[in-house]
Amino acid sequence: MRSWLSLILIFIFLSVGYYSRFLIQPSVSSSALKVTSEPESINAKATNLITADKLPQQDVSSHAINDLHVSSGQLETVIPVRWKQTGQFKAHFSRLKNMADQGDIDAKYILAKNLRYCFFAPIDDSALQAKLETQASYSDASEAIDNTLAQFDYCEAINQDQRRQFYFYLEDAAKQGSVAAQQMFTGLTAKFYMQSQGLDDLPRDEFIRLRDKFNQQKVSYLEQASKHGSEKALIKLSDLYRSQQIGDNSLSLVKSYTLDRLIMEITNNNELYNRYAWFEQRQYSQLSEEELIEANSMFDDWLAEIHKNGTLYTNEQ
């Protein structure tokens, strides 16, 4: 009798355990459904933003930009040849000049870079003394004086006519396609060009003609450099168009907006990215639908040129 009772109790216990699994299961499935439904709603929001009439405005907070910025990793960073020579430059001048005269593009760039550096160095002891006396009153006098003495020593025996030739070699290298030389135009103004080449006393019409020619060449070289991934060139062009120093008013904003987006697209520098994302955000609201279409087309074409060339010249160089 006891053995039968034991068997009955075991059967009841197993039956209760078996059916309890089905009673618990629905609550687990319901919870899982809630969890998996959330990503679907997020994806739907993202799709709505992308298909809006205008491109979605970006969050320009530093945190958001840093999180969203992803480098394409498809461009090869190029480091320009080292231009500064060991010892005094006079020991290298003749060799570099001969190489440049034979068509060596790197020698032309190195000469241009060195001669421009020497253009600002005191030409003799009298000029050195005058500059040191002026710098003695600077807040960072010690550093400024050390730099001037080093520059004076480095450029000794390079006369003023030779220093003035920096532009001849610079333009020649830029014409031959040296991106390093082309992006040097970011630091040249028409005023400095005219003064350094002794052209500021020309008759007014000739002065204006040469000044305008320089400005046109500068923009051309910067555009060429920008299509090889020069961040310096892209930055300078964007700033020139934004301040309407070049181009007509109707196109300046479109080009500046396009260039800002290109900088954001190719740079690996978060600070630079954030700065031009801020500019891009401000300009976005000022563009019409037609202007946005034009800017997007220009962006695609320009970016395709950059990727075709496959290079990146960073702003830090």
Side-chain angles (χ1 to χ4, degrees):
M1 184 69 177
R2 289 180 181 178
S3 62
W4 279 104
L5 286 174
S6 298
L7 289 172
I8 292 170
L9 289 173
I10 291 171
F11 176 79
I12 294 172
F13 178 78
L14 292 173
S15 298
V16 171
Y18 176 82
Y19 286 106
S20 66
R21 289 188 300 167
F22 295 96
L23 295 173
I24 296 171
Q25 185 69 26
S27 63
V28 175
S29 299
S30 175
S31 174
L33 285 172
K34 288 181 181 179
V35 172
T36 55
S37 67
E38 289 178 2
E40 292 176 2
S41 64
I42 292 172
N43 289 337
K45 292 178 182 177
T47 302
N48 289 337
L49 285 173
I50 293 171
T51 57
D53 290 337
K54 286 188 175 184
L55 292 174
Q57 294 194 22
Q58 295 173 317
D59 183 350
V60 294
S61 67
S62 176
H63 176 75
I65 288 172
N66 287 337
D67 286 347
L68 291 172
H69 180 211
V70 180
S71 172
S72 66
Q74 298 175 1
L75 301 176
E76 181 181 354
T77 300
V78 178
I79 301 174
V81 295
R82 183 173 62 86
W83 63 271
K84 195 79 175 286
Q85 304 297 296
T86 57
Q88 293 182 310
F89 183 56
K90 64 182 180 182
H92 308 275
F93 179 73
S94 295
R95 174 180 57 84
L96 287 167
K97 187 178 185 304
N98 289 336
M99 291 172 64
D101 292 343
Q102 293 173 21
D104 190 307
I105 192 172
D106 286 337
K108 292 175 183 180
Y109 164 71
I110 293 170
L111 272 174
K113 194 82 171 174
N114 277 281
L115 292 175
R116 183 175 183 271
Y117 173 75
C118 290
F119 187 84
F120 297 99
I123 194 66
D124 54 29
D125 290 337
S126 177
L128 173 64
Q129 188 61 35
K131 189 167 185 177
L132 293 178
E133 288 176 0
T134 301
Q135 292 176 331
S137 61
Y138 291 179
S139 57
D140 58 344
S142 178
E143 181 180 356
I145 288 171
D146 287 345
N147 289 338
T148 296
L149 289 171
Q151 188 179 33
F152 179 75
D153 179 67
Y154 182 78
C155 299
E156 185 184 6
I158 305 297
N159 64 47
Q160 196 62 31
D161 288 337
Q162 291 169 330
R163 298 178 185 197
R164 203 185 298 275
Q165 287 183 311
F166 82 86
Y167 190 78
F168 170 79
Y169 292 109
L170 175 62
E171 185 181 23
D172 210 16
K175 281 181 180 177
Q176 285 187 253
S178 168
V179 177
Q182 289 168 352
Q183 68 179 8
M184 274 182 67
F185 278 83
T186 60
L188 296 182
T189 64
K191 181 178 180 180
F192 172 68
Y193 162 71
M194 299 298 286
Q195 289 178 344
S196 67
Q197 301 306 298
L199 303 173
D200 45 356
D201 291 329
L202 289 174
R204 185 174 182 275
D205 290 346
E206 183 66 5
F207 178 92
I208 293 173
R209 185 185 72 82
L210 291 177
R211 182 198 63 190
D212 292 348
K213 180 183 176 182
F214 167 81
N215 284 329
Q216 291 170 1
Q217 286 179 322
K218 175 178 177 176
V219 173
S220 175
Y221 291 140
L222 291 179
E223 287 188 349
Q224 291 177 51
S226 72
K227 290 176 181 178
H228 284 80
S230 168
E231 291 181 352
K232 288 182 179 179
L234 287 167
I235 289 168
K236 188 63 178 180
L237 285 170
S238 175
D239 294 346
L240 288 172
Y241 279 113
R242 187 182 308 105
S243 59
Q244 297 184 345
Q245 295 181 49
I246 56 175
D248 56 63
N249 293 348
S250 60
L251 191 60
S252 293
L253 183 61
V254 172
K255 277 208 166 184
S256 180
Y257 173 80
T258 301
L259 290 158
D260 290 344
R261 287 186 61 201
L262 287 167
I263 294 166
M264 294 162 60
E265 180 70 23
I266 71 171
T267 189
N268 294 314
N269 183 314
N270 283 328
E271 182 180 351
L272 186 64
Y273 181 94
N274 292 346
R275 185 188 314 148
Y276 283 89
W278 185 81
F279 285 129
E280 182 265 352
Q281 179 74 16
R282 292 185 62 194
Q283 293 166 328
Y284 173 86
S285 60
Q286 301 174 39
L287 294 171
S288 65
E289 297 293 332
E290 293 76 15
E291 288 172 330
L292 275 173
I293 292 172
E294 183 178 5
N296 293 336
S297 176
M298 192 182 301
F299 171 84
D300 290 339
D301 292 343
W302 212 312
L303 186 62
E305 284 287 328
I306 292 174
H307 281 286
K308 178 182 176 182
N309 290 315
T311 53
L312 173 67
Y313 291 75
T314 67
N315 190 45
E316 291 82 6
Q317 296 167 0

